[in-house]
Amino acid sequence: KRRRQDPALVTGNVKFQVSLPSGRCEDVWVASSGTVCDLKVAAQEALGQPFLTLTADGCLLNPWESLQAAGLEDGDCIAAVAQQPKVAATKSAFAVWCVGGYRVLTWGDPDTGGDSNA
């Protein structure tokens, strides 16, 4: 079985403290060259909570920005807000959208809304 390397020992990683409104908090490590989306994925895994929106200093973070462009630095505290996904359906297709998620996932019959490639 392969052992995971301690993220604190990986050169170029930065640490963020991510907390939920409940007070639950986890340290999250990501590459300093990463994006807010990388941080979001790491936070979702660490907190066991999907559909997170991240904020810093009261502002929503754009998942497509680099950590540097978002003004995030090693040791920053990030607030995570769990969002409820929105689901829509037709007779043979489904769509899921989460506020702050910047995308819609669809599946099912393309003729009734199951294709989001447009």
Side-chain angles (χ1 to χ4, degrees):
K1 192 172 181 181
R2 206 173 120 193
R3 290 185 353 183
R4 293 182 94 182
Q5 188 172 10
D6 184 348
L9 301 176
V10 176
T11 304
N13 276 359
V14 290
K15 179 178 90 169
F16 298 96
Q17 187 176 65
V18 182
S19 61
L20 292 168
S22 67
R24 183 164 173 229
C25 169
E26 293 287 339
D27 288 340
V28 176
W29 296 85
V30 292
S32 59
S33 60
T35 65
V36 172
C37 189
D38 297 330
L39 174 58
K40 177 179 174 174
V41 169
Q44 289 175 160
E45 289 175 2
L47 293 164
Q49 177 70 52
F51 302 112
L52 291 180
T53 298
L54 303 180
T55 66
D57 297 325
C59 297
L60 287 176
L61 296 174
N62 179 345
W64 311 120
E65 281 189 325
S66 69
L67 297 173
Q68 184 178 15
L72 300 177
E73 298 178 356
D74 187 44
D76 280 352
C77 295
I78 306 296
V81 179
Q83 299 290 321
Q84 292 298 317
K86 311 294 184 211
V87 178
T90 65
K91 184 176 178 181
S92 56
F94 300 89
V96 175
W97 174 71
C98 188
V99 176
Y102 297 105
R103 70 181 203 181
V104 175
L105 300 175
T106 59
W107 65 98
D109 183 354
D111 293 331
T112 60
D115 182 6
S116 57
N117 291 324

